[in-house]
Amino acid sequence: MRGTVGLDDDREVGELWAVDGRVTFERPTVPRHLTRDVVTVEGWAVPGLVDVHCHIGLGADGPVDAATAEAQALADRDAGTLLIRDAGSPSDTAWVHARADLPRLIRSGHHLARPKRYLRHYGRELDAVSDLPAAVAEEADRGDGWVKLVADWIDRDLGPEADLRPLWPDDVLAEAIAVAHEHGARVTAHTFATEAIPGLLAAGVDCLEHGTGLTPDQIDEVARRRIPVTPTLLQVERFEAIAAQAHRYPVYAARMRRMHARRHEHVRDLHDAGVPLLVGTDAGGTIEHGRLAAETAELLRAGVPDADVVAAASWRTRAYLGVPGLEEGASADLVVYDADPRRDARVLADPRAVVLRGVVVPGRA
């Protein structure tokens, strides 16, 4: 790799090599009979992109077969997403770990929800709220260090007054998150509503998905605790359409419209307050895979600077997840562009080359 390689916020180098799939900054000695096997890529490179809210194995109606899940992962890979934190899936996708041609996957197990309080066939529905700690322990043991909770959803039992309401009592939530931590897992939570945030913060949640209901005071507290938020603006853009279908629930519809209308301002407030932002598409279900660049474009529209968008889509989130970027001996996972994405993040939509485990992805160079 020749040109400019951004390693993190402060460091860049002019070249690196991938030997046997691993990064080295020392020029290797290549026997003459192997020189024809050397592939050179030039441009501006960053560590492989990261989608932290992505659902491999999930379709619009729930779990999908392995062939469909494979196609989802390949779509992400070809767009430059080489590391995925799966934010809940009803499918067992552990087999992805054995596939060198697919992105690295960090699984969160099933979404944990309650009956009629989430999307049908998506999550693991618990009949009693008291079952949550034990279910968290099980999902922590079957996942890759993360558990996904559904913290709030519309409560249709309230009739015309139906609105977003928390799913779990605060004491149960605190016990469940403590159990996850005891099992060596971190917890991320789906949350649209303001009302779920106090219980999540008191329980020690590690990450927030969507976070559309965060108030200014809550934003300040989340920033103080350095809890990352994944804004999922592609998903929030759908709130107006969701509200239009909720004519039986006018209170809920009005809230969804308010959050939709101020979605970009809200993300700008998060950034300005110092909340760590992560990049997640919410692909799977109703959003196509391979759309990380579309999500980053929404962050740019919100006013997040180009350099911060690229860092959040690459090395900062890798560091948060505990997965190395471009370091000596690390896996050679990088994406190459014709221009510096730190100056113009729009180029993330058009990679010149994608390199996964030291191999140039066919058709991307």
Side-chain angles (χ1 to χ4, degrees), residues 6 146 182 223 327 342 354 357:
W146 281 90
E182 290 169 2
E327 303 174 6
R342 298 167 299 180
V354 176
R357 297 177 175 90

Side-chain angles (χ1 to χ4, degrees), residues 136-273:
V136 163
E138 291 169 0
E139 297 303 327
D141 289 343
R142 70 184 292 269
D144 299 322
W146 281 90
V147 173
K148 171 73 175 294
L149 302 181
V150 178
D152 55 67
W153 197 254
I154 183 173
D155 186 351
R156 294 180 178 84
D157 289 343
L158 300 176
E161 298 301 312
D163 200 358
L164 296 171
R165 292 289 184 268
L167 269 67
W168 317 104
D170 288 353
D171 59 338
V172 173
L173 191 61
E175 181 183 354
I177 292 179
V179 167
H181 292 165
E182 290 169 2
H183 283 250
R186 289 184 278 182
V187 176
T188 195
H190 161 104
T191 174
F192 290 160
T194 300
E195 294 87 343
I197 300 297
L200 289 169
L201 296 183
V205 73
D206 300 287
C207 191
L208 299 173
E209 308 302 310
H210 317 297
T212 48
L214 285 161
T215 66
D217 287 345
Q218 289 172 344
I219 288 174
D220 288 342
E221 181 62 15
V222 168
R224 186 186 71 80
R225 298 188 185 205
R226 302 295 296 168
I227 299 173
V229 174
T230 313
T232 62
L233 282 168
L234 291 177
Q235 183 62 262
V236 181
E237 196 279 331
R238 300 182 63 254
F239 279 13
E240 176 61 37
I242 292 171
Q245 297 175 353
H247 51 86
R248 294 172 55 193
Y249 309 111
V251 176
Y252 166 75
R255 188 199 295 235
M256 298 298 279
R257 287 193 168 101
R258 288 194 302 271
M259 294 190 296
H260 175 266
R262 66 179 307 272
R263 64 193 185 280
H264 291 122
E265 178 185 356
H266 182 67
V267 171
R268 189 163 56 252
D269 289 345
L270 291 170
H271 176 267
D272 291 348

